[in-house]
Each structure stands twice: as C-alpha cells, then as structure tokens.
Amino acid sequence: MAGKNYFTSLHLIKQCFLRHGSHASSMRVTRKTPKMCIQYICNSRASFHSSSVACGMEEFFDQPENWGKREIKVGRAWRVGELRIKSNEDLHKLWYVLLKEQNMLLALEYACKQEHHLFPNPERLDKVAESMSNIETVVKERNKAYMMLETGETGDRPGGKVKDIYGRFEYRDFQECHVPEELNPVYEKYHYIPHPELDRLNLLYSEKLRREETYRKNEKRRYLQRLFQKFPNMDVEMLKERYPDIDIEEIRDSPRSIGHHDNNRA
C-alpha cells in the first residue's frame, strides 16, 4: 500500500504541473488540491523565493520621486583611498551596484533622447565610470601584490612595441598563442610595408612629439621656479614624488628661483 500511495502522490503532483504550469509558484491551492500537492507547493515556494528581490523592468529606470526633475542631488565618485580599505567581497558587491546604476542611467539617457527631454545630471555617468575605474585600479594593485608575493612576477600580460600599418611604434599586449607571421591573415593585411615617404613622415612626426614633450617639460620647470620664488621652503620630497621627471634640486638652486623675500637677501 505504501508503494501504491507513493506513486499515486507522484501522479497527482504531475497532474498539478500539467494543469497549472511548470512553475510551482503559479499553482493555486483549493479545497480539491491533494494534501501531498499542497506540501510540495509550499516547499517549492520556500526554495524558489528565499529573499525579496525585484528584477522587473522598473530596475532600468530611476526612482519615481525623481521623475520629471531637472536636477537630482547625487554624491561624488568613489576614491581610490576609500576603496583600498574595503574587502574583496565589498568591492565585488559595489561593482555590481555601479554596473546596475550604469545600465539604469544609460536606459534613462536613451529614453530622454527618444522623448526629446533633458537628461538630468548627465555627470552621473562620469561619476559611475570613475568609480568603476578606481575599483579596477584597486583590484589590479591587489592582484599584482599577490602575484609578486607568490611567483615574483606582476602577473600582467606581457607586451612590447611594434610597428602599426603606418610604421609608428605602439604598445600591444602579446597573445596567448602566437601565430606565425606567414600564417596570420591579419598580419598580411595590416603589417607595415617600408616606404620612403612614410619613413620621412614618421621622422617629422617623432620630431613633433619630442618638441611637444620638451615644451611641456619646460612649462613644468618654469612653474616650479615661480613656486620657489614665492615659497622657498617648500617640501622637496613632495615635489620629487609629484614631478619624477624633473630635477627639483637643480630648479631650487637656479638663479631664476630666487624671489624677493628675506631668505634671499645677502
């Protein structure tokens, strides 16, 4: 009898599924519902709905109290220093919160363009992107520290400078499986072919880049000279950390860094 009742209960549960759908949450309990089915439905609902989660289309739109507003008060982006003190689990949760916010803002921006309305506070997208970039920076720092401790290497993908189709050098990450040049159709299509005019153009372009770099470096030197004229007792170590490509002590001892104050009087 026990085996017969067991198979009878399975048959009743199967009939309930065929009648009410494949999801237990769509079943309706009535007086004619067998007791075994009621127990199965209750257990199924407890396993399917363990927490109150809203995953509808309303997740792609802002809060109803913000609809129609031209300005919404928002905070700033997450800073790197604030993210460094958080655990990996908190960073993981925060990443998906920001990803969800980014999807909502992009959907809202698209809807505003379609309806020819003003998108309120478009800088929110920039703040979310900055926060996500800072999270990536913190995660890369931790991965690098872990790999250096375990293997002695940074763990980053190796790369190098190669020539593009115009003969200019650019940095590219090496692929996991290198394809020989003679078997790579992409290389055959986009590899650099030496040409006198391109070589001459690359020389002129390199000279232009060097001049721009020299101009920016001279601008920094003149700026530091003006700072030493006004503030001769500045922290040299801080300036060295901020401007590693400039000789701070040479600029401090330069005659152009002498200002009109008591420290420079004979």
Side-chain angles (χ1 to χ4, degrees):
M1 291 296 293
K4 185 176 181 181
N5 294 334
Y6 176 76
F7 286 108
T8 303
S9 301
L10 289 181
H11 178 72
L12 291 174
I13 293 174
K14 184 178 179 180
Q15 292 298 326
C16 289
F17 266 96
L18 294 176
R19 186 178 302 174
H20 301 283
S22 59
H23 297 283
S25 59
S26 63
M27 300 181 185
R28 296 182 60 184
V29 179
T30 61
R31 292 183 178 180
K32 296 182 180 180
T33 306
K35 184 178 180 180
M36 185 68 180
C37 295
I38 295 176
Q39 184 179 2
Y40 182 81
I41 293 171
C42 295
N43 295 336
S44 300
R45 288 185 176 179
S47 62
F48 279 108
H49 302 278
S50 59
S51 60
S52 58
V53 180
C55 299
M57 291 298 296
E58 66 273 6
E59 297 292 323
F60 286 95
F61 297 93
D62 204 351
Q63 299 295 332
E65 56 269 16
N66 295 332
W67 293 355
K69 291 185 178 180
R70 293 184 174 272
E71 184 177 358
I72 301 174
K73 294 183 179 181
V74 294
R76 56 172 175 80
W78 286 88
R79 298 173 180 172
V80 178
E82 298 171 345
L83 296 172
R84 287 195 179 109
I85 62 178
K86 293 188 174 296
S87 63
N88 292 334
E89 184 178 359
D90 293 339
L91 292 179
H92 190 91
K93 294 178 181 179
L94 182 58
W95 173 268
Y96 279 100
V97 170
L98 293 172
L99 183 62
K100 183 178 177 180
E101 183 74 12
Q102 186 183 49
N103 291 337
M104 185 271 294
L105 292 175
L106 291 176
L108 182 61
E109 183 183 26
Y110 180 79
C112 290
K113 288 182 179 179
Q114 292 295 321
E115 298 295 332
H116 303 284
H117 292 315
L118 181 64
F119 178 49
N121 294 77
E123 69 275 3
R124 288 184 289 175
L125 283 170
D126 299 332
K127 294 179 180 180
V128 171
E130 182 182 354
S131 300
M132 298 178 73
S133 176
N134 292 338
I135 291 178
E136 288 184 347
T137 301
V138 174
V139 171
K140 288 181 180 179
E141 290 177 356
R142 295 182 181 181
N143 290 339
K144 182 178 180 180
Y146 175 79
M147 294 299 295
M148 289 293 294
L149 182 63
E150 294 291 331
T151 63
E153 299 178 356
T154 59
D156 297 335
R157 179 184 293 184
K161 289 186 177 181
V162 296
K163 285 187 177 182
D164 59 0
I165 189 174
Y166 300 107
R168 297 174 296 187
F169 285 97
E170 64 177 5
Y171 184 87
R172 293 181 184 176
D173 294 332
F174 294 152
Q175 297 181 359
E176 184 176 0
C177 299
H178 180 68
V179 181
E181 297 177 356
E182 59 274 8
L183 300 177
N184 191 349
V186 179
Y187 175 80
E188 291 294 333
K189 186 176 181 180
Y190 295 104
H191 77 284
Y192 168 67
I193 301 177
H195 193 275
E197 293 298 328
L198 280 178
D199 295 339
R200 178 175 174 274
L201 178 63
N202 290 329
L203 287 176
L204 295 176
Y205 183 71
S206 301
E207 183 180 358
K208 177 185 177 182
L209 294 180
R210 288 194 296 268
R211 286 183 178 180
E212 292 178 353
E213 181 65 25
T214 303
Y215 176 79
R216 287 193 295 266
K217 194 171 183 179
N218 291 335
E219 281 292 322
K220 293 180 181 178
R221 292 174 62 89
R222 285 190 288 267
Y223 173 72
L224 291 173
Q225 288 173 357
R226 292 193 298 269
L227 283 181
F228 276 112
Q229 288 178 2
K230 297 180 181 180
F231 311 102
N233 298 324
M234 291 186 61
D235 188 1
V236 179
E237 298 298 329
M238 183 271 295
L239 294 177
K240 288 182 179 179
E241 182 179 356
R242 188 169 183 179
Y243 302 97
D245 56 337
I246 297 179
D247 191 354
I248 303 299
E249 296 180 355
E250 179 184 357
I251 294 178
R252 182 188 60 183
D253 300 334
S254 175
R256 295 191 177 186
S257 301
I258 300 176
H260 301 283
H261 41 71
D262 297 336
N263 295 339
N264 294 323
R265 291 181 181 178

